[in-house]
């Protein structure tokens, strides 16, 4: 699948097509909408160590870090926590192929706590923001520094249990750690910041009345105009239904680029992001109301499509008659996207 990878010499991000084999992870360049025949590079998994979640980049909370036995670091970014954990599990399985007990233990840890059905982390954060029933925000002092709109680790654990998102303090700490991994909340002050650097995932979030946290959005300055902020909030407020990397044809140059697509409902919008950029802002998007979506045949290049594309194409026509040509990584993925989009049109 597609994953953004950080370069070794120039520390920028490039999207590559990754193929996991038993002993190595190959990555390929995409040119003109098609995977090049020879890999651009390879990561040898023998003696490799994996860090997941990796919190070395504040603006990229969904990273996997691989360190080879020659001490070369690779940073790979995923679209969602589920995708990240799935890649990490499969890569770990390949690394420890000769040690099935370690793989079983990883499966057990990943499955030890699951969110309630029909509840997402976005839903929890939305409830946390509620002015009457949400988490209470207070001013706090930590080693001479004053922080506005913060809450303590123990207060969040209490809130998660009282709102039935968790049944025990252990589950609440696990859930709070997920919120931190996904960059919904962030530590502030010495105690909580130091804990986040712990190598033990169970000790990254502190159930403590002296450990301070705040909403990640509270620490970012808004530079947009009031009108633009209102417009963005209304478009981006819908519940995320599906997200993933797809290849999209440009409107002007007709070149093909990998974009991170995010499908939202209520309101129904499809936005796409440049995964090589640091800022998490859409580079485009459109309302799905009145749209038509359909698969395109793989035998031959349809009219309107440029380049020798890989296949698995589908087309979205907006109510303003704008045509979007999009390429999935497989027929199954194309079907999944079309079935997710159709009910929202």
């Amino acid at each position: 699948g597609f994953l953004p990878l950080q370069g070794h010499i120039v520390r920028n991000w490039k999207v590559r097509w990754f193929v996991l084999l038993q002993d190595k992870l190959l990555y390929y360049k995409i040119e003109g909408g098609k995977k090049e025949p020879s890999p651009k590079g390879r990561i040898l998994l023998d003696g490799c160590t994996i860090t997941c979640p990796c919190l070395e980049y504040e603006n990229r909370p969904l990273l996997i870090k691989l360190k080879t036995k020659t001490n070369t670091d690779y940073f790979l970014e995923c679209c969602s926590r589920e995708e990240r954990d799935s890649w990490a599990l499969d890569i770990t399985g390949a690394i420890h192929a000769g040690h099935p007990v370690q793989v079983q233990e990883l499966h057990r840890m990943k499955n030890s706590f699951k969110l309630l059905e029909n509840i997402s982390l976005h839903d929890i954060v939305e409830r946390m923001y509620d002015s009457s029933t949400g988490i209470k925000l207070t001013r706090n002092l930590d080693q001479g520094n004053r922080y506005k709109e913060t809450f303590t680790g123990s207060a969040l654990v209490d809130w998660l249990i009282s709102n039935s998102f968790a049944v025990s303090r252990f589950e609440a700490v696990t859930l709070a750690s997920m919120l931190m991994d996904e960059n919904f909340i962030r530590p502030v002050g010495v105690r909580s910041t130091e804990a986040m650097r712990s190598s033990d995932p169970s000790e990254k979030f502190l159930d403590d009345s002296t450990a301070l946290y705040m909403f990640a959005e509270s620490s970012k300055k808004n530079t947009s105009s009031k009108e633009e902020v209102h417009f963005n909030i209304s478009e981006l407020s819908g519940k995320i239904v599906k997200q993933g990397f797809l290849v999209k044809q440009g409107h002007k140059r007709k070149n093909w680029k990998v974009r991170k697509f995010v499908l939202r409902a209520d309101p129904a919008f499809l936005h796409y992001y440049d995964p090589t950029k640091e800022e998490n802002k859409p580079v485009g998007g459109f309302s799905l109301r009145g749209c038509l979506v359909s698969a395109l045949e793989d035998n031959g290049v349809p009219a309107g499509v440029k380049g020798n594309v890989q296949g698995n194409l589908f087309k979205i026509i907006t109510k303003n008659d704008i045509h979007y040509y999009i390429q999935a990584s497989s027929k199954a993925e194309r079907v999944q996207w079309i079935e997710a989009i159709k009910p929202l049109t």
Side-chain angles (χ1 to χ4, degrees), residues 244-307:
F245 295 110
L246 298 167
V247 189
K248 173 187 166 294
Q249 181 177 263
H251 289 298
K252 295 178 182 177
R253 294 186 180 180
K254 305 297 182 184
N255 55 350
W256 291 87
K257 291 189 176 179
V258 178
R259 294 290 181 247
K260 174 186 173 182
F261 279 79
V262 178
L263 177 63
R264 293 181 173 90
D266 300 321
F269 273 84
L270 184 62
H271 292 97
Y272 49 94
Y273 301 71
D274 185 345
T276 67
K277 302 296 183 186
E278 290 292 337
E279 63 272 10
N280 190 30
K281 294 180 181 177
V283 294
F286 51 92
S287 170
L288 289 171
R289 295 300 178 198
C291 283
L292 297 173
V293 57
S294 61
L296 297 175
E297 295 298 329
D298 288 339
N299 50 346
V301 179
V305 174
K306 303 293 182 184

Side-chain angles (χ1 to χ4, degrees), residues 46-72:
D46 180 39
C48 205
T49 58
I50 182 170
T51 303
C52 177
C54 171
L55 303 175
E56 292 191 25
Y57 291 87
E58 185 179 347
N59 292 334
R60 294 180 179 270
L62 297 173
L63 287 181
I64 296 171
K65 178 182 177 181
L66 296 174
K67 182 185 281 290
T68 66
K69 66 179 179 182
T70 58
N71 287 324
T72 303

Side-chain angles (χ1 to χ4, degrees), residues 38-163:
S38 300
K40 181 79 174 174
R42 66 193 70 219
I43 304 171
L44 299 178
L45 298 177
D46 180 39
C48 205
T49 58
I50 182 170
T51 303
C52 177
C54 171
L55 303 175
E56 292 191 25
Y57 291 87
E58 185 179 347
N59 292 334
R60 294 180 179 270
L62 297 173
L63 287 181
I64 296 171
K65 178 182 177 181
L66 296 174
K67 182 185 281 290
T68 66
K69 66 179 179 182
T70 58
N71 287 324
T72 303
D73 291 341
Y74 291 89
F75 292 93
L76 293 73
E77 186 178 34
C78 299
C79 265
S80 64
R81 183 180 179 274
E82 292 74 20
E83 184 190 47
R84 181 196 64 195
D85 291 350
S86 176
W87 269 104
L89 190 65
D90 290 339
I91 293 170
T92 304
I95 292 171
H96 300 303
H99 306 279
V101 174
Q102 293 183 21
V103 180
Q104 289 173 7
E105 178 65 14
L106 184 72
H107 274 284
R108 189 193 66 76
M109 288 174 63
K110 293 293 182 187
N111 295 323
S112 61
F113 173 72
K114 291 190 179 296
L115 282 173
L116 296 171
E117 282 194 31
N118 303 320
I119 293 292
S120 70
L121 294 181
H122 290 271
D123 295 329
I124 294 172
V125 173
E126 193 174 322
R127 290 271 296 276
M128 286 174 68
Y129 270 112
D130 190 283
S131 57
S132 57
T133 60
I135 189 87
K136 301 303 179 189
L137 303 177
T138 58
R139 294 171 181 263
N140 279 287
L141 186 68
D142 184 271
Q143 296 203 356
N145 294 316
R146 292 185 180 277
Y147 297 101
K148 297 179 181 178
E149 298 185 326
T150 61
F151 47 87
T152 67
S154 56
L156 178 55
V157 169
D158 292 341
W159 185 88
L160 290 169
I161 293 172
S162 65
N163 283 272

Side-chain angles (χ1 to χ4, degrees), residues 234-235 238-243 246 261-272 284-294 314-322 324 326 336-345:
S234 66
E235 267 198 26
K239 182 178 180 180
I240 293 178
V241 175
K242 186 174 177 60
Q243 55 187 332
L246 298 167
F261 279 79
V262 178
L263 177 63
R264 293 181 173 90
D266 300 321
F269 273 84
L270 184 62
H271 292 97
Y272 49 94
F286 51 92
S287 170
L288 289 171
R289 295 300 178 198
C291 283
L292 297 173
V293 57
S294 61
F314 63 99
K315 178 170 69 172
I316 301 175
I317 306 174
T318 70
K319 63 180 180 182
N320 298 324
D321 200 35
I322 298 172
Y324 289 87
I326 302 169
Q336 290 168 10
W337 273 100
I338 291 173
E339 289 181 348
I341 290 169
K342 271 186 176 178
L344 303 177
T345 61

Side-chain angles (χ1 to χ4, degrees), residues 128-129 137-138 147-152 179-180 183-189 192 211-220:
M128 286 174 68
Y129 270 112
L137 303 177
T138 58
Y147 297 101
K148 297 179 181 178
E149 298 185 326
T150 61
F151 47 87
T152 67
L179 293 171
M180 198 163 61
N183 210 30
F184 286 116
I185 64 173
R186 73 177 188 92
V188 290
S192 54
L212 301 181
Y213 299 88
M214 69 190 304
F215 289 114
E217 289 298 318
S218 303
S219 63
K220 297 176 183 176

